[in-house]
Amino acid sequence: VQGTYTGWPDGPLGIGNRQSDKKDTTFRGGALRRDLIDWFAPGKKYRTNMFVASSFRRAAAEKFECRAGASVDKDPVRWVFKFEHERCLHVNFLRPGAESTCTNELEFLLTPGSVL
């Protein structure tokens, strides 16, 4: 029996709302200004001041990377979020077609103040 969470990224073998590309992991695509790249160093933690959506699927993140594209001052980027298995209390699972208008996307919405 899988955990009590309605939706959790349980990896390719997850069932229904628990199926994801990688276990305990979500993805977010976008763009990052080049002058901020050094600030986002591996291992450095920061608090977000806004809601942050992330998808159970890499392909959803890739769409946002492509949409953001490269420009004179920014580059496409993919953030990868790794969670302790079913121990994260600061995310909301958005059910497709219910809380989310995306009927085919499984996503976590991290709350403002989340430490990344």
Side-chain angles (χ1 to χ4, degrees), residues 71-90:
S71 71
V72 175
D73 63 343
K74 66 181 180 179
D75 290 311
V77 65
R78 180 182 312 145
W79 289 273
V80 178
F81 301 106
K82 297 180 182 181
F83 300 94
E84 289 185 48
H85 186 70
E86 294 189 359
R87 295 183 54 99
C88 187
L89 302 177
H90 65 279

Side-chain angles (χ1 to χ4, degrees), residues 6 17 23-24 27 29 36 47 56-58 61 68 95 114:
T6 302
N17 286 345
K23 187 172 178 63
D24 302 328
F27 309 90
L36 297 176
R47 287 192 183 273
F56 287 20
R57 304 271 183 220
R58 281 186 194 98
R95 293 176 297 166
S114 296

Side-chain angles (χ1 to χ4, degrees), residues 33-107:
R33 288 187 356 222
R34 289 190 188 104
D35 62 326
L36 297 176
I37 289 174
D38 291 338
W39 192 85
F40 288 92
K44 184 176 183 177
K45 295 179 183 178
Y46 71 96
R47 287 192 183 273
T48 179
N49 64 353
M50 61 185 187
F51 286 100
V52 176
S54 64
S55 177
F56 287 20
R57 304 271 183 220
R58 281 186 194 98
E62 288 171 358
K63 289 178 189 174
F64 287 95
E65 290 171 54
C66 292
R67 205 176 293 165
S71 71
V72 175
D73 63 343
K74 66 181 180 179
D75 290 311
V77 65
R78 180 182 312 145
W79 289 273
V80 178
F81 301 106
K82 297 180 182 181
F83 300 94
E84 289 185 48
H85 186 70
E86 294 189 359
R87 295 183 54 99
C88 187
L89 302 177
H90 65 279
V91 299
N92 296 297
F93 173 66
L94 301 182
R95 293 176 297 166
E99 294 88 9
S100 175
T101 58
C102 300
T103 57
N104 59 352
E105 185 177 344
L106 301 174
E107 63 181 313

